Structures are given as C-alpha cells and as structure tokens.
Amino acid sequence: MGTFRLFALAIFAICVGSGSAHAERRVALVIGNSAYKSVPRLSNPANDATLIGGMFKRAGFDMVDIRLDLNAGEMRRALRDFGGKAREAEVAVVYYAGHGIELDGTNYLIPTDATLETDSDVLDETLPLDRALFAVEPAKQLRLVILDACRDNPFAKTMKRTIAARAIGRGLAKIEPTSPNTMIAFAAKAGSTASDGDSKNSPFAAALVERLPTPGLDLRKAFGFVRDDVLKNTGYKQEPYVYGSLGGDDVPLIAAKPVVTAPQGPTANPQDGIRRDYELALQTGNRDGWEAFLQAYPEGFYAGLARAQLKNVAAEEARAAAVAKARQAEDEKARLTAERANKAEQEKAAAAAKAAENARLAAEKAKQIEEAKAAAAEQRRKDAEAAVAKALADKQAAEKALADKIANDKAASELAAKQAAEKTQRDGEQKVAAVAPTQSPPALSPQETAKLVQSELRRVGCLTGAADGEWNAAAQRSLTLFNKYAGTKFDAKLASFETLDAIKAKPARVCPLVCDHGFKADGDACVKIACRAGYRVNDDNECEKVPDKKPVAVREDAKPRDNERKKVESTPSKPQATGQLICNGAGCRPVRPGCRLEFMRDAYGGGGSAARNFEVCN
C-alpha cells in the first residue's frame, strides 16, 4: 500500500499554493456563441452560458461576465479585459460554449463571424485556446477553463485544404497545460464529439450545474461525478475529460460550511485505505496508475474493478492507435492524389485508407464496449460501498442500542444498591455492606438478540438474507456454516450473547463466497462468467465449445410417389403428332394425329407420276 501511495503522491505533487480551499476573490468569464453567420445556428450555447453564469453568481463569485454571440474582435476584447481582472483574483474561470476546431494538434475557438473557407483562414478568423489560458494565467490559486465546444463541426466539412497532408481533427485535441494549478475540462474526450441533447441545455452543462456548486466538494471529484452523469445520460456515447493537475489539498468551487460540533466518527473500515487508493488511481486514469494499484492490491473486490478499468485504458490506447493509423492512411491517399500518382497507386492507397478506417471503427466499438464494462464495474463498486456503509450503520445502531441497555441496567443496579444502603443506615446497622452491581448480560429481547447475531453473520459472509430478528431455518443454517468454518460448536437453534461475541471477534469473512451457476467469485462479489463466441458455460462452470449439430437422415415416404406413378400408368396416352408432312397441289400440311404416310406405286409398278405418298388413317 505504501508503494502505491508514493506513486499517487508523485502524480499529484504540485501544491495549490497557500492550500486554502476557499478563494478570497473569484472571477468568471462566460461566453456562449449560438448565432453563427456561415453555418446553422446552435440552439444550446446561449442557454448553457446563461445557466452556467447564474450558477457562478449563486456560488458567490465576486465578478461574473456573461457574453453572448461574440465576433472575433469582441472575443479578443473580452479575454483581454478578463485577464486584467484575473490579476487581482485567487480563482479565475473561463467557460466557453460554441464551435471549436482542431488543426494540426492545436485547438481554436470559433467566433460567430468566421467563414473558414480554407484551412489557412483558421489562423486569421479564430482564437487559439492558449488565448483563454493566457487570460486565466494571472490568478494566484486556481485557473480553470471549461470547454463545451466539442460538437460536430460543420466548418470542417466544407473547408478547403491548401495542404493535402494538413490534419483537421474530429472534436478537440488533447492538451497538457504547462502552468501549475490549471485544469481544462472538455465536454468530450479528445478526438470525439459532444451531444447537444434533447433539452434546451447540453448534458455537460446540466451536469456542471448539478455537481460543481456542492460545498466542500473537491473539483477533481466534482468533474468525476460530471463524467458519470454525462455517460449515463448519453448512453455511454459521450465521456467528458479533464486535463491538468492540482495539489494534494481539496480545491472546492464553494468552501464547505463550518461545522459547529464534530460528532463522534464511525468505526474505521479496513477497506477505507484500499478505496482511497482506488479513487487516486481513478483520478490518474492511466495504465501506470492501475498497474501500480494492482501491484499493491492483487486480490479482492477492488482488484477486479481495477482490472476492468485497465481494460478500458487498453481499449482507449488501441482506439488512439487506430485513429492515428487511419489518419496516416488518409494523408497518404491525399498525398498521392495531389501528386497525381497512377491509378494503381491511388487504388492501393484508397484500399489502405479504407482498411485503416475500418480498424478505427472497430477500435471505437471496442472502446465503447470496454467503457460500458468499466462503468458497470464502477457502479458495482458504488453499490458494494453503499451496502457496506449500510451494514456498518446497522451494526453501529445495534451496538449503540446494546450500550444503552448496559448503561440502563448498570444505572438501575447502582440505584438499587444505593437504596439498600440507605435503608440499612436508617435501620441503625453499624456495618454497611457494599453492594457491587453485577455485570450480567443486558436484558435484550430474543428478537433483538437474534437481529444482532444475524447482522454479524451477514458481515462474515455466512448469511445472505436480511437481519430481521426472526431466528428461522435460514438463520440456523448460517450459524451452522459459521460453526463449520470457524471451528465453534454453538447451538444453531439459539441466538445467544456468547455466539454474538464469538462472531464479532472475527475481523473478516469466515464463510466462503458461493456463487450460482454461471457466476464466479471475484473478491467479495459474484461476477457473470463470459465465454467467447461459440462457447457456453458447462455444468462445472467452465467454458466449453458448443458442439456442431449433425445432420439427421430422414426416410422419404414412398407412398405418395407410388400413387403418382400408378395414376400416370393407368391414364391412356393421348395420340401424338408424327411430325410428318403431306404435300399435294394445294400445298403441304402436317399429318393428322393417329394417321401415317404410305408410299404407293403406279399400276405398272413404276415410279411414274401416279406414284406418291398417301395419308392412311385406319
């Protein structure tokens, strides 16, 4: 665990400066561009900017400047003026909603008057993202830029390229800020586009308003919750992403309210350290973080979740590689076209580009599948933590009730002893016997005792049902299992305090995890066994190949065929034409059905004019 902590601290080693969670002066610039002149109007950015600006005002920001539908000159002036205000602030935030474009790895914000007929116009008609980073640079404690500009860009579809090999990306490109204490939040991960949603506000803006104003909530966790909300609301198609880093202290947008009285904290959970390290690895979101976590914790529930997240990272790396390969193939195709290469080379390049694009699409699909699996694993983690927290709360409530019972019984014993002593003194006795209260088991009802025992049996993994206080057959079976694996010999028909003390003495699971058919144990949870295509789970919970179906010989029924043959044989044949022709002075005609031709000589047996063919029909 120490190794992983050192690794995590190395990643988040930059301090926030003074370390104060609450900034003394906070300023924000909010820009929403909807009314574009050269492309269709965007419906949401103006609404989103108004919504986000109102959030900053309610959060108590000292200055909030909301600007809508700015052209290039107005955007430059707004950022320049805001840079002057940021010099006097501890926290500076720029929010931009509208169109953005990525050209050769650099991100640009598009004003409403841009036309962008060619790729070279990007340098003249737009503002680089670095201009917004320059505006928040003077802030002393926190510099935050939020971009809801990852939409599908219509300019890129009509823009003419002056250089064939110049890359115009889909969405925005990944960026690593060079200034400390700087965060850049994208509505969608680099290389992907964001959705405007079906309402008047985008899913990203709605999630920001829901999560960022939470008092005392660290910005890294707040953006993590924003990511989860957007993934869920877009069917896992859009994933927000945060670049940059902060120090080790919590940096909330709104400081936590001061606590007047600090209640006694709950009993420490041995899983808390693992959970904190898991959340640190989740914040890093890269392969090194997850591999370090698995090296520190190779087994258990969180190890299974970490492996699912590692698969998600691998899928993202494969997708990025496929995107790069597709881009190279497309550039090669464009280069050959520009150089007027022969048809064979162009076809070869086109085939390579198509194959690379298919590989990219396959990688995108695999990435979406792994993202869904990782999100499902993360949800299982949250559900498991909620169940553990509930079980811990139930246990604490039961222990508090038990302590109250013991205290009441002790007070009653002391009161009885005091009354007996006073009575003896009033009767004039010289010696007073000191009455010591006995430490007997608390007077709990059988149902309350059974509920406490059931709660402990659930904790050690021997009871799967609810702790309802009914000592039924299921509860007796669970105590029998505990006796088997713990080596005890308690009466399974009775829930006693001796049994309760013995179970509470076990710090971890006692009964093994038993999973249904088709599931396997993974730490403290049962997960479904997934077999690849063409395989199924057998009776031993192992994947086996599905046997091929063999063809079955079917005997043909000969009766209809025989009946048809007999019917044909019994039907008299119709007279057929012979195909012969008979000719005379009137011309030629076919011989009639049932007749034939015969040759007859003349009366002298010669072949004179009287010798000819005759039609005979007898």
Side-chain angles (χ1 to χ4, degrees):
M1 181 171 68
T3 303
F4 181 78
R5 290 273 173 83
L6 290 176
F7 174 79
L9 290 175
I11 295 177
F12 298 104
I14 301 175
C15 295
V16 183
S18 64
S20 173
H22 176 65
E24 295 180 2
R25 179 173 175 78
R26 298 172 294 171
V27 296
L29 172 63
V30 180
I31 300 175
N33 285 346
S34 287
Y36 283 91
K37 298 179 180 179
S38 301
V39 293
R41 175 186 176 88
L42 291 174
S43 58
N44 285 347
N47 299 332
D48 294 340
T50 303
L51 181 68
I52 298 296
M55 176 197 71
F56 286 136
K57 291 180 179 179
R58 290 190 297 273
F61 271 56
D62 299 277
M63 191 280 295
V64 179
D65 187 10
I66 303 175
R67 309 292 297 274
L68 304 179
D69 298 330
L70 302 184
N71 57 33
E74 292 169 342
M75 284 185 68
R76 291 189 179 92
R77 285 193 296 272
L79 290 170
R80 181 186 61 204
D81 296 342
F82 181 73
K85 297 180 176 64
R87 293 188 183 92
E88 304 173 356
E90 280 70 30
V91 175
V93 183
V94 170
Y95 172 86
Y96 173 77
H99 276 309
I101 191 171
E102 179 259 313
L103 181 67
D104 287 339
T106 302
N107 299 317
Y108 297 88
L109 310 181
I110 304 179
T112 57
D113 59 345
T115 57
L116 302 185
E117 295 179 353
T118 65
D119 51 6
S120 60
D121 294 339
V122 174
L123 304 178
D124 300 325
E125 300 178 4
T126 67
L127 278 74
L129 176 58
D130 290 343
R131 186 64 186 85
L133 293 174
F134 186 80
V136 299
E137 178 70 23
K140 301 177 181 65
Q141 179 177 330
L142 173 66
R143 308 165 184 93
L144 176 61
V145 176
I146 305 175
L147 295 178
D148 195 355
C150 306
R151 296 169 172 82
D152 189 12
N153 187 2
F155 289 100
K157 300 176 181 178
T158 58
M159 183 186 302
K160 297 179 181 178
R161 299 190 185 185
T162 57
I163 300 178
R166 177 166 289 161
I168 300 176
R170 183 173 180 262
L172 298 181
K174 178 181 179 181
I175 182 171
E176 292 296 343
T178 57
S179 301
N181 309 327
T182 302
M183 293 183 70
I184 304 175
F186 283 9
K189 185 181 293 187
S192 60
T193 58
S195 169
D196 277 333
D198 299 327
S199 62
K200 67 176 184 178
N201 295 113
S202 69
F204 183 59
L208 289 174
V209 174
E210 180 70 21
R211 298 296 185 176
L212 290 188
T214 305
L217 181 63
D218 182 63
L219 279 177
R220 286 160 291 202
K221 285 191 175 181
F223 279 111
F225 290 137
V226 169
R227 169 191 173 275
D228 295 343
D229 293 345
V230 174
L231 277 172
K232 180 179 179 181
N233 294 332
T234 60
Y236 295 94
K237 296 179 180 179
Q238 176 182 340
E239 179 184 6
Y241 218 77
V242 176
Y243 301 94
S245 65
L246 301 179
D249 295 334
D250 286 350
V251 184
L253 193 67
I254 301 177
K257 297 179 180 179
V259 180
V260 179
T261 58
Q264 183 179 1
T267 305
N269 189 339
Q271 294 287 322
D272 286 346
I274 303 178
R275 177 178 57 80
R276 285 193 296 270
D277 289 346
Y278 177 86
E279 290 176 351
L280 283 175
L282 190 63
Q283 291 176 19
T284 63
N286 55 35
R287 178 181 292 276
D288 293 338
W290 290 120
E291 288 179 349
F293 179 86
L294 288 173
Q295 185 177 1
Y297 309 103
E299 301 294 338
F301 174 70
Y302 286 96
L305 298 179
R307 292 188 180 93
Q309 294 291 349
L310 190 58
K311 290 181 181 178
N312 187 20
V313 172
E316 169 60 19
E317 292 174 350
R319 186 198 66 79
V323 170
K325 187 173 181 181
R327 178 176 293 180
Q328 292 175 359
E330 187 66 27
D331 292 343
E332 179 66 14
K333 176 183 175 182
R335 184 186 66 80
L336 292 175
T337 303
E339 295 177 357
R340 298 182 179 179
N342 58 46
K343 184 177 180 182
E345 290 180 346
Q346 291 185 15
E347 290 178 351
K348 182 179 179 180
K354 184 177 180 181
E357 179 65 15
N358 292 336
R360 184 188 68 80
L361 294 176
E364 288 277 1
K365 185 176 181 181
K367 176 66 173 61
Q368 293 175 1
I369 294 174
E370 293 300 332
E371 284 178 348
K373 290 182 179 179
E378 184 67 13
Q379 186 60 42
R380 290 199 303 273
R381 176 182 75 88
K382 294 179 180 179
D383 293 342
E385 289 178 354
V388 170
K390 185 177 184 302
L392 184 60
D394 293 342
K395 178 184 176 183
Q396 291 173 352
E399 290 178 348
K400 185 176 183 300
L402 180 60
D404 292 343
K405 284 281 186 180
I406 294 174
N408 293 336
D409 292 344
K410 184 177 179 180
S413 299
E414 291 176 350
L415 180 60
K418 183 178 180 180
Q419 291 175 351
E422 291 176 352
K423 184 176 182 298
T424 304
Q425 187 177 8
R426 285 195 303 268
D427 293 342
E429 295 182 359
Q430 297 297 325
K431 295 182 180 180
V432 179
V435 181
T438 59
Q439 193 71 7
S440 60
L444 291 178
S445 66
Q447 186 173 8
E448 292 173 333
T449 305
K451 187 173 183 180
L452 292 175
V453 175
Q454 287 174 329
S455 178
E456 289 299 318
L457 286 172
R458 279 177 57 86
R459 182 181 64 81
V460 297
C462 296
L463 178 64
T464 58
D468 54 6
E470 296 293 334
W471 196 250
N472 49 25
Q476 294 176 15
R477 285 195 300 270
S478 66
L479 182 52
T480 302
L481 283 175
F482 178 81
N483 286 334
K484 175 181 177 181
Y485 292 104
T488 56
K489 296 181 179 180
F490 295 109
D491 185 3
K493 297 181 180 179
L494 178 64
S496 63
F497 284 98
E498 291 79 5
T499 305
L500 178 63
D501 293 337
I503 301 174
K504 290 175 66 175
K506 303 295 181 183
R509 172 183 286 273
V510 174
C511 297
L513 181 64
V514 179
C515 299
D516 295 336
H517 179 261
F519 292 80
K520 64 179 180 180
D522 187 358
D524 289 336
C526 292
V527 297
K528 188 179 178 75
I529 299 174
C531 298
R532 64 178 186 268
Y535 285 76
R536 66 184 179 188
V537 179
N538 60 14
D539 295 338
D540 296 329
N541 261 12
E542 297 177 349
C543 291
E544 67 174 10
K545 188 173 182 181
V546 178
D548 298 332
K549 293 184 178 179
K550 297 182 179 179
V552 179
V554 179
R555 183 182 295 276
E556 182 182 359
D557 189 3
K559 186 175 180 180
R561 184 185 60 190
D562 294 341
N563 292 336
E564 184 66 21
R565 180 177 57 78
K566 292 177 181 179
K567 182 178 179 181
V568 172
E569 292 176 352
S570 62
T571 303
S573 59
K574 296 180 179 179
Q576 302 293 325
T578 62
Q580 295 176 323
L581 295 176
I582 183 171
C583 298
N584 51 30
C588 296
R589 62 175 177 79
V591 176
R592 289 174 292 181
C595 299
R596 66 184 183 278
L597 290 180
E598 289 187 0
F599 181 75
M600 294 185 180
R601 298 180 180 275
D602 57 11
Y604 303 98
S609 60
R612 56 190 177 89
N613 289 323
F614 288 90
E615 184 178 17
V616 180
C617 297
N618 53 350

